[in-house]
Amino acid sequence: PAYKVPATGPDVFPDLFADLEIAEDRYIAAIQTRPVDAKSRRVVHHTITTMVAGEDPGDGTEDGGQFIVEHASGKAPEIYPDDSGVLIKKGHKFKLGTHLHSVGEDVNAVVEVGMKLHPVNKPPKYIRYSTHHGDPNPDAYQSLDLPAGQITRVEGYTLHTKPAKLIAWQPHMHIRGMYQCFELIYPSNPSKVMKREMINCAHWACSWPSAYHYDDDAAPLVPAGTIIHIISWHDNSANNKHNPDPKNWVGYGDRTIDEMGFSWIGWIDLTQEEYEKELAARKAKREARPTQQQQ
């Protein structure tokens, strides 16, 4: 899909549509979204792709859609574990909810979505899910409070009600973001103490976000009731070379000059039996390692 972005003006958020040209329901094994050329890359802030039954008729009755994939500048393809995938249905469309900004010249922004599909009639064992995790307060856009001239720490929490394997982590902030960490808070044990485990931290590059994909034997396993804790640091001072106006307060918002602070987490749900089996297998592998090294 394409959209003409004017040389000057406010950020725009057009919805672009593309037909899914498949003869039957299929499952995605890998997917990539990309602006097709250098000019398109300059104006595309992000794209959220969902699957919908049709285009919005304008009366508010549009299918809410199933989330498929998010794209931000520089993001690599998402390659799912071999036994997982995302369902797409024949007769549906992809809706690309885009965020575009002007760069001083007219740009015909073109965005592509490419997919590798699982073989026909061989659905994967697991459905791969992905959503926001750790929004400071998903019900209050004014919850992100970044005073002028200082660094601010922001936190958010998301509960997982089922056992799961976390397969990907992608920080998301805007131009004042500087650093983000991803921590697990496990359910309380008989002593009523909730164990915390820091999983990863990463420096944030506003012009080139990265998604981190875990090897299968290193992907975090979480029991039901685990809380994912996302910690973000924003630099709203003159020390941040990307900051357009360090003298002003900044809050939560969709525009490039606004801010966000959350993570995209990709995961697959497990049964309790699957969770316990994989946990035991990893423990056995760790315990066997010293013996193998001595041989």
Side-chain angles (χ1 to χ4, degrees):
Y3 185 88
K4 186 173 182 179
V5 182
T8 60
D11 291 15
V12 292
F13 302 86
D15 290 335
L16 310 178
F17 293 86
D19 292 325
L20 283 175
E21 297 178 356
I22 52 176
E24 54 193 300
D25 294 354
R26 300 288 297 273
Y27 284 86
I28 300 170
I31 188 167
Q32 181 179 17
T33 309
R34 67 176 188 183
V36 300
D37 53 32
K39 286 189 175 183
S40 295
R41 285 194 295 272
R42 290 183 65 203
V43 301
V44 176
H45 178 276
H46 75 258
T47 300
I48 304 294
T49 300
T50 55
M51 181 181 66
V52 297
E55 296 189 24
D56 187 355
D59 59 5
T61 60
E62 180 197 351
D63 178 354
Q66 172 191 316
F67 174 79
I68 301 294
V69 70
E70 178 269 354
H71 166 77
S73 300
K75 182 177 177 180
E78 290 194 0
I79 302 173
Y80 308 146
D82 291 341
D83 56 357
S84 68
V86 175
L87 176 65
I88 54 174
K89 298 180 179 180
K90 67 176 182 179
H92 283 59
K93 296 175 180 287
F94 272 174
K95 182 180 79 170
L96 282 68
T98 60
H99 173 187
L100 310 174
H101 43 234
S102 299
V103 293
E105 62 176 314
D106 291 346
V107 174
N108 190 40
V110 183
V111 181
E112 294 180 329
V113 180
M115 297 169 287
K116 177 182 177 182
L117 303 178
H118 283 281
V120 177
N121 299 324
K122 291 186 178 180
K125 181 178 180 180
Y126 299 105
I127 300 297
R128 195 269 196 184
Y129 298 101
S130 179
T131 65
H132 283 205
H133 279 60
D135 283 284
N137 184 342
D139 297 322
Y141 273 82
Q142 62 269 39
S143 63
L144 196 61
D145 183 0
L146 307 180
Q150 69 182 51
I151 294 174
T152 303
R153 170 175 165 149
V154 177
E155 302 179 58
Y157 303 83
T158 299
L159 173 67
H160 270 250
T161 59
K162 298 179 181 179
K165 179 189 289 188
L166 309 182
I167 59 178
W169 172 52
Q170 180 188 338
H172 185 85
M173 295 181 278
H174 286 182
I175 52 183
R176 293 168 183 83
M178 58 182 294
Y179 198 66
Q180 191 173 94
C181 290
F182 161 33
E183 180 185 57
L184 299 178
I185 304 174
Y186 296 106
S188 59
N189 56 34
S191 67
K192 306 300 182 183
V193 176
M194 298 183 75
K195 177 184 175 184
R196 305 164 72 104
E197 182 179 13
M198 187 64 71
I199 302 300
N200 287 111
C201 293
H203 291 281
W204 171 254
C206 61
S207 60
W208 205 259
S210 295
Y212 302 92
H213 298 266
Y214 298 104
D215 289 340
D216 187 63
D217 60 353
L221 297 173
V222 300
T226 298
I227 295 171
I228 293 182
H229 179 204
I230 303 299
I231 311 161
S232 304
W233 285 265
H234 296 82
D235 185 354
N236 191 22
S237 76
N239 293 325
N240 179 355
K241 66 180 181 180
H242 302 292
N243 193 347
D245 189 357
K247 296 181 180 180
N248 270 340
W249 170 90
V250 177
Y252 194 102
D254 292 326
R255 300 175 304 171
T256 304
I257 60 171
D258 298 323
E259 266 305 330
M260 294 187 177
F262 66 86
S263 290
W264 290 97
I265 299 290
W267 81 95
I268 58 174
D269 285 334
L270 302 174
T271 65
Q272 184 63 27
E273 181 181 3
E274 289 170 333
Y275 167 75
E276 293 175 358
K277 182 179 179 180
E278 183 151 357
L279 202 63
R282 291 191 184 185
K283 181 180 179 181
K285 186 175 180 179
R286 288 196 304 271
E287 292 175 347
R289 194 171 298 145
T291 303
Q292 293 171 350
Q293 291 174 349
Q294 293 171 5
Q295 294 177 348

